[in-house]
């Protein structure tokens, strides 16, 4: 439900296209879904079988269907809306010798993420693919050209399972990723980390941490690792979790109030943070019960 100007809800047909949908409607797919992700004006849908579909605007190639939907009407350049989800059939890599794109057969997807106008997906083989808008090199391919099809991020060597990717999250202007040995990478434009880089670079402050989840927000980022919750960025409403005296931080720092509590997931909104705790141990239950729930 919500805005459907470019058909990004994926409900199909023309009746709801260009309108706000105020009541829930089913996505126009018969397959059983296990995950969905939304960008500025497009969406991705992942089926239980690992097939990937997209709907909405493809102006920058973010639908991954090798088409921008561009057309001319009355001397104006416009972009068509795709209200019915289309399957993304093809995934590619760049041959380093010939510099040509080579199709990878039989790719199945297990995780998806959307930025404003770019997309990322992790395959069941732990290979990371990105596509769409590539301003400031946010796709991680050492270029700034938009990609209309999913391209494997070849920085993560597929010949080494340890270097393959287990977590990937799109930020507004880039991507965060964690490989199978726990190294955290970031690339693209990231004003919070004061970074602009078209290829993955490791975050040295996170060496040695067992990262469970990452939440790249618009003005702040959150990472949950081991038994700590870590944040950085701009604090306007207390979203960094570091107390009232912290205004902003360009460096990663622990939230001392929840240190020792293992977190499973995290989310970063506009001015707020959510943490999902693992309370399966007696120690975690004790620490959670000790949190100040009467804060004014």
């Amino acid at each position: 439900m919500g805005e459907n100007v470019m058909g990004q809800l994926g409900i199909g047909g023309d009746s709801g296209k260009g309108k706000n949908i105020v009541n829930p409607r089913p996505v126009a797919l018969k397959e059983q879904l296990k995950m969905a992700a939304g960008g500025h004006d497009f969406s991705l849908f992942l089926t239980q079988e690992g097939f990937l579909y997209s709907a909405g605007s493809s102006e920058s190639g973010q639908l991954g269907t090798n088409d921008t939907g561009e057309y001319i009407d009355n001397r104006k350049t416009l972009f068509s809306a795709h209200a019915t989800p289309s399957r993304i059939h093809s995934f590619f890599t760049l041959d380093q010798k010939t510099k040509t794109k080579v199709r990878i057969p039989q790719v199945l997807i297990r995780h998806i993420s959307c930025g404003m106008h770019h997309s990322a997906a992790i395959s069941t083989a732990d290979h990371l693919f990105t596509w769409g808008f590539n301003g400031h090199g946010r796709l991680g391919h050492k270029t700034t050209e938009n990609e209309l099809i999913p391209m494997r991020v070849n920085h993560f060597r597929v010949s080494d399972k340890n270097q393959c990717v287990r977590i990937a999250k799109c930020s507004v202007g880039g991507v965060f990723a964690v490989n199978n040995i726990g190294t955290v990478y970031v690339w693209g434009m990231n004003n919070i980390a004061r970074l602009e880089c078209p290829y993955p670079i490791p975050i040295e402050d996170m060496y040695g941490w067992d990262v469970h989840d990452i939440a790249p927000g618009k003005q702040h980022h959150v990472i949950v690792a081991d038994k700590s919750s870590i944040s950085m960025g701009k604090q306007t409403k207390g979203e960094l979790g570091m107390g009232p005296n912290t205004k902003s931080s360009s460096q990663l720092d622990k939230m001392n109030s929840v240190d020792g509590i293992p977190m499973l997931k995290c989310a970063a909104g506009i001015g707020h943070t959510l943490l999902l705790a693992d309370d399966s141990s007696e120690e975690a239950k004790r620490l959670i019960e000790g949190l100040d729930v009467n804060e004014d």
Side-chain angles (χ1 to χ4, degrees):
M1 71 201 85
E3 185 177 355
N4 198 38
V5 172
M6 298 302 295
Q8 58 262 48
L9 298 183
I11 58 178
D14 294 323
S15 59
K17 192 163 61 176
K19 302 178 181 178
N20 292 336
I21 305 301
V22 297
N23 293 308
R25 294 190 189 180
V27 174
L29 284 171
K30 295 181 179 180
E31 292 88 339
Q32 187 174 5
L33 299 178
K34 74 172 184 179
M35 191 174 185
H40 175 67
D41 52 9
F42 74 104
S43 300
L44 298 179
F45 306 97
L46 179 61
T47 72
Q48 291 284 0
E49 293 80 11
F51 301 142
L52 184 56
Y53 291 79
S54 59
S57 170
S58 191
E59 180 176 347
S60 300
Q62 60 265 46
L63 297 190
T65 54
N66 200 27
D67 180 24
T68 63
E70 181 179 334
Y71 66 97
I72 305 298
D73 184 22
N74 195 25
R75 299 183 180 180
K76 293 183 179 180
T77 300
L78 302 174
F79 296 89
S80 58
H82 303 271
T84 300
S86 298
R87 182 176 167 187
I88 301 175
H89 289 278
S90 302
F91 297 79
F92 290 80
T93 185
L94 184 68
D95 186 287
Q96 297 302 315
K97 293 182 179 180
T98 64
K99 302 301 179 183
T100 58
K101 295 177 180 180
V102 179
R103 184 176 179 180
I104 305 172
Q106 300 177 337
V107 173
L108 297 176
I109 300 301
R110 66 169 179 82
H111 178 82
I112 53 177
S113 180
C114 293
M116 290 289 286
H117 303 286
H118 68 292
S119 307
I122 305 175
S123 73
T124 53
D126 292 343
H127 300 170
L128 175 62
F129 296 85
T130 59
W131 63 97
F133 180 61
N134 198 22
H136 304 287
R138 68 194 64 193
L139 301 183
H141 302 305
K142 299 182 180 180
T143 70
T144 56
E145 296 178 359
N146 294 352
E147 287 289 353
L148 308 185
I149 51 177
M151 292 293 298
R152 189 166 64 195
V153 181
N154 286 330
H155 177 89
F156 302 101
R157 300 191 305 273
V158 297
S159 59
D160 185 351
K161 187 65 176 177
N162 288 332
Q163 294 299 321
C164 292
V165 175
R166 63 181 177 90
I167 299 174
K169 298 290 184 71
C170 290
S171 63
V172 172
V175 179
F176 283 80
V178 183
N179 67 10
N180 284 332
I181 59 173
T183 306
V184 182
Y185 291 86
V186 63
W187 61 93
M189 169 62 81
N190 193 309
N191 291 328
I192 296 173
R194 299 177 182 175
L195 166 79
E196 183 176 350
C197 187
Y199 55 86
I201 59 173
I203 301 177
E204 295 182 359
D205 288 348
M206 293 305 300
Y207 282 167
W209 291 82
D210 181 15
V211 176
H212 308 310
D213 195 20
I214 298 178
K218 184 177 181 180
Q219 297 187 91
H220 75 294
H221 304 322
V222 181
I223 300 175
V224 290
D226 294 323
K227 293 184 179 181
S228 295
S229 299
I230 303 163
S231 64
M232 67 183 298
K234 184 178 181 180
Q235 176 159 283
T236 58
K237 307 292 183 181
E239 58 266 46
L240 296 186
M242 298 178 189
N245 296 323
T246 299
K247 298 303 180 183
S248 63
S249 175
S250 60
Q251 303 294 324
L252 291 166
D253 204 354
K254 290 196 295 185
M255 303 180 194
N256 291 326
S257 61
V258 293
D259 199 38
I261 302 175
M263 300 295 178
L264 301 173
K265 297 289 182 180
C266 57
I270 304 297
H272 68 288
T273 297
L274 301 175
L275 302 171
L276 177 63
D278 178 2
D279 64 351
S280 59
S281 71
E282 292 302 319
E283 179 189 9
K285 290 179 181 178
R286 178 181 61 81
L287 290 172
I288 292 171
E289 290 173 356
L291 293 175
D292 184 3
V293 297
N294 297 312
E295 180 182 348
D296 293 331

